[in-house]
Amino acid sequence: MGGVTIAFHGAAGTVTGSCFEIRGAGKTILVDCGMFQGTRSLEKLNYERLPFDPRELDAIILTHAHLDHSGRLPKLYAERCKAPCFCTRATADILKPLLQDSAKLQAASAERRNRRADRAGLPRFSPLYGGPDITALYRKIRTAEYCEQMDLGNRVSIRFWDARHIVGSASAEITVAGQRILVSGDIGSGASVPCPDVELGGYDHIICESTYGDRDREDILISDRREALARYVEETISNGGNLLIPAFAVERTQVILEDLSALFDSRRLSPVNVFLDAPLAQKVTEAILHYRNSGLDVMKRRNIRFIQSVNESKRLNRMTGIVIVAGSGMCEGGRIRHHLVRNLPDRRARILFTGFQAAGTLGSVLRDGAEAVRISGNDVVVNARITSLDGYSNHADRSGLLHWVRDRSPVTGTLFLVHGEASSLKSLAGEMSAAGIAPDVAIPALGETWNLEPARAASRLRSARPDAEKLVASRDWTSRLAALRASMEHRIRSLESDRDREKMLEALKRALDERV
Ligand SMILES: [Zn+2]
C-alpha cells in the first residue's frame, strides 16, 4: 500500500492560511492554498518561500472561494505549478473576480507601502501575484459536481461533498493507498445534500475545521436579524452618521444587500443610499447572486450602488447619512480601511461587524474595545459605536461540528482539528474525545507532518516550525507597538492639564532611556 503523509502548512493553530499537503501512492495533492490573515507576523507567511515545490504537485483541491482557502493559489502558478486545480463550478465562477479584486487591492497597497518604504529607506515590497498568474490558474481549473468521483491515477481519487458553508463549498474526500480521508473545508449549518449510492460515514482520518469550536450560537430568525439591521441603519442615519459594515466579499456582502433590499421592499426602511465599495464587487456579486437565487433583485435597486474607482471611493468620504459595505471583513485590507480612518473618530458613526474576527486583526482589536487604533500609518481615535450583529454566520457552531463528525463516523484513525484559535481547538478536542467520536484526536501545529495508516492513530513524523507558537499568538510585538502608539497620544491629550502632560512625557522618556 505504501505510506501516506499529511503536512499542515496553514490553518494549524490558527483560522487562516488553509493549506494541507497529502502524499501517497506516488501522488502529491494540495488541499487549499489560502492567505494568512491576522497579526503582521502571520501575514508575513504569505510572502515566505512555499514549504513545498509547486512543480511537484499532481493535483490541487479547492474547497471553496473564501480567500483564506484560495488566496495564494495564483502564487503556485507564478511558481510554475502545472497541476490541475479541482473545484465546483460555482467556486470557479465566484473565485475569478475575487482574485482579480484581490490582485488590484494588493497592487494598490504595494504602491502605498512602497512610498513609505522608499521614504524610510526600507526594502520594497511586491504583491503576491498579478493578473497573468490568475489566468495561468484558470487554464488549470477543472470543475466537478458534488459526489462525482475523479480519478487521479494509481487508484487515487477525490470526491466533493456538499459543505453548506457558502455557494459552491465542499468537503474533500481523498482515497489514497486504500485509506479514506476527509478534509472538511469550512462547514456550514444544516443538513448537507447526500451522495446517492455512496456511504457517507467510515473514514480512516478526518481533518475538521474548528472556527466556532468553543461556542454554541443562538439561532436567530432572518426576520429578527433584518429588524436589528433596520434599527442600526435608522438610528445611525437619523443621527447624521455613516453606518460602516465590514463584510467578506463572498456571500456575506450579498446576504447583507439582500437583507437591506428586503427592508426597502417592505418599506420597513426608507431607501437610504447604500454603497458597496470594492473594485470588482459588482462582478463578484453578480456571480454569487446567480447561484443564490433569492428572488431579491439587489442589482436593480437605484439606492444600492457599486463603487469601482478609487476616486469614487474617496468621494464617499465627503458624504454622511449613508451605509457603506466594504471589504475586507476583518478590516485587514481593502477600502474599509480608509472609511474607518474617516469614520472612527465620528461619534455619530457606527461600525457593524457581522462575521468572525480572527485574533490580531484590526476587526478584532476594534471589537474588543480599543480606544484608538493605527491604520495605514494613521493614529485614529475610536469614537464611533462598535457593534456586532449575530445571525449572519455560515459556520457550524460547537454542536454543529460534533454532529458533523458523528454523522461521518466511524473514524478509525485520527481526527485532526484545524482552522481554529487555541481556545476553540482545545475545547472542541475535549468535547470530541469525551463524546467518544474518534479514538484519537490531534491538534497539529504549523509545519508538522504526520504519518497516516489505515484504521490506526496517526503519528507525528516532523515537528512544527520552531516559531509556530509565536506565529499563531493572538498578538505579536508589532500589534502591541501599534496599539501603544495609537493609544498614547489619545491618553496624553486627555490628561487634565499641560503640566500633567509634560510630567507624563518626562516619565515616558525616562522609561525609554532605562535599560530593559
Ligand atoms: Zn470559508
Side-chain angles (χ1 to χ4, degrees):
M1 288 280 178
V4 178
T5 60
I6 181 166
F8 295 90
H9 298 309
T14 176
V15 286
T16 61
S18 265
C19 187
F20 314 121
E21 179 192 357
I22 296 174
R23 283 170 177 259
K27 299 281 179 190
T28 305
I29 301 167
L30 197 71
V31 183
D32 290 343
C33 196
M35 285 236 202
F36 287 98
Q37 295 157 322
T39 60
R40 187 61 67 87
S41 315
L42 203 55
E43 288 191 354
K44 267 190 182 165
L45 292 179
N46 293 322
Y47 298 90
E48 265 190 7
R49 240 183 111 85
L50 290 162
F52 53 88
D53 185 347
R55 292 169 304 179
E56 284 178 8
L57 297 175
D58 294 291
I60 298 163
I61 302 174
L62 173 61
T63 59
H64 65 289
H66 278 152
L67 287 175
D68 60 326
H69 292 256
S70 65
R72 285 186 299 157
L73 283 174
K75 182 179 158 90
L76 300 177
Y77 292 86
E79 296 186 19
R80 291 183 286 153
C81 172
K82 297 278 181 283
C85 176
F86 295 92
C87 62
T88 62
R89 160 63 56 200
T91 297
D93 287 351
I94 294 164
L95 184 64
K96 197 171 192 178
L98 195 68
L99 288 174
Q100 287 165 337
D101 196 75
S102 164
K104 276 197 177 175
L105 289 169
Q106 282 182 53
S109 137
E111 213 182 292
R112 266 197 317 275
R113 283 174 78 162
N114 282 335
R115 276 201 297 272
R116 286 208 299 272
D118 289 348
R119 281 200 300 270
L122 294 167
R124 285 176 71 84
F125 169 89
S126 53
L128 271 181
Y129 50 80
D133 307 316
I134 300 172
T135 309
L137 160 67
Y138 266 77
R139 275 194 213 110
K140 291 291 184 182
I141 289 274
R142 305 283 179 269
T143 60
E145 303 286 330
Y146 290 124
C147 305
E148 185 188 343
Q149 180 173 303
M150 290 156 287
D151 291 314
L152 303 181
N154 298 0
R155 300 178 70 193
V156 177
S157 65
I158 54 181
R159 173 184 282 122
F160 286 132
W161 291 82
D162 174 22
R164 309 292 290 174
H165 171 56
I166 59 164
V167 167
S169 64
S171 301
E173 176 183 308
I174 298 149
T175 304
V176 52
Q179 296 189 46
R180 202 171 174 221
I181 299 161
L182 184 65
V183 182
S184 71
D186 285 356
I187 304 164
S189 45
S192 48
V193 181
C195 293
D197 311 322
V198 191
E199 187 127 353
L200 174 63
Y203 288 95
D204 294 284
H205 308 279
I206 289 185
I207 295 91
C208 180
E209 71 118 324
S210 319
T211 316
Y212 284 107
D214 60 348
R215 65 203 100 155
D216 279 317
R217 285 189 318 267
E218 237 180 277
D219 281 336
I220 294 176
L221 293 173
I222 292 180
S223 53
D224 291 345
R225 179 182 83 197
R226 286 181 176 165
E227 179 52 32
L229 177 63
R231 281 202 297 269
Y232 288 131
V233 173
E234 260 175 354
E235 187 207 291
T236 312
I237 305 273
S238 65
N239 285 341
N242 291 337
L243 179 68
L244 258 60
I245 310 182
F248 299 99
V250 179
E251 211 152 318
R252 185 62 43 84
T253 292
Q254 293 73 32
V255 175
I256 289 164
L257 293 182
E258 282 174 1
D259 278 5
L260 287 166
S261 218
L263 291 164
F264 298 139
D265 280 348
S266 65
R267 307 213 170 158
R268 169 64 186 83
L269 274 183
S270 55
V272 297
N273 286 319
V274 176
F275 295 92
L276 178 52
D277 190 9
L280 287 164
Q282 193 163 345
K283 272 194 180 169
V284 177
T285 298
E286 273 166 359
I288 292 168
L289 292 179
H290 168 76
Y291 286 98
R292 280 184 59 81
N293 219 353
S294 70
L296 289 158
D297 203 347
V298 168
M299 306 303 291
K300 285 199 179 134
R301 295 207 69 92
R302 293 242 304 272
N303 64 322
I304 296 182
R305 271 170 260 175
F306 292 83
I307 300 295
Q308 296 188 8
S309 76
V310 174
N311 283 341
E312 278 179 293
S313 174
K314 285 186 177 156
R315 266 205 291 278
L316 298 182
N317 285 338
R318 296 200 290 270
M319 299 172 76
T320 50
I322 57 173
V323 177
I324 301 172
V325 183
S328 69
M330 298 193 279
C331 308
E332 282 306 278
R335 292 180 178 169
I336 194 71
R337 290 172 76 84
H338 84 81
H339 294 303
L340 286 169
V341 171
R342 153 82 173 75
N343 286 279
L344 280 173
D346 186 347
R347 285 178 199 287
R348 301 166 304 170
R350 184 186 290 275
I351 320 301
L352 185 63
F353 288 106
T354 61
F356 186 83
Q357 302 299 314
T361 56
L362 176 59
S364 78
V365 172
L366 285 169
R367 189 205 49 201
D368 294 345
E371 292 171 345
V373 287
R374 196 167 169 84
I375 305 176
S376 315
N378 303 291
D379 289 326
V380 186
V381 61
V382 181
N383 291 324
R385 274 163 297 180
I386 310 288
T387 320
S388 293
L389 177 54
D390 285 337
Y392 283 99
S393 179
N394 39 22
H395 274 281
D397 61 6
R398 171 173 46 190
S399 27
L401 292 167
L402 281 163
H403 275 119
W404 188 89
V405 179
R406 191 178 280 126
D407 287 347
R408 282 145 189 84
S409 61
V411 187
T412 49
T414 295
L415 169 65
F416 291 97
L417 297 181
V418 296
H419 201 287
E421 286 168 2
S423 60
S424 283
L425 291 163
K426 225 173 131 191
S427 153
L428 189 63
E431 297 261 350
M432 293 277 187
S433 300
I437 288 176
D440 182 51
V441 181
I443 302 175
L446 201 60
E448 281 182 358
T449 301
W450 289 64
N451 185 43
L452 306 181
E453 288 185 58
R456 283 182 60 180
S459 54
R460 196 184 288 109
L461 274 182
R462 198 181 71 198
S463 47
R465 31 186 300 163
D467 54 356
E469 222 171 298
K470 261 194 194 158
L471 285 169
V472 301
S474 58
R475 301 187 83 183
D476 60 2
W477 75 267
T478 58
S479 50
R480 281 176 211 277
L481 175 65
L484 178 68
R485 269 153 72 163
S487 69
M488 200 148 58
E489 184 174 342
H490 172 65
R491 292 180 67 171
I492 291 171
R493 280 185 188 281
S494 54
L495 290 172
E496 287 275 298
S497 64
D498 280 355
R499 211 176 107 84
D500 290 347
R501 290 180 196 104
E502 294 286 355
K503 266 165 81 180
M504 176 61 83
L505 287 168
E506 269 308 309
L508 282 169
K509 189 169 177 306
R510 271 201 309 277
L512 285 172
D513 289 342
E514 265 174 32
R515 284 183 57 180
V516 178

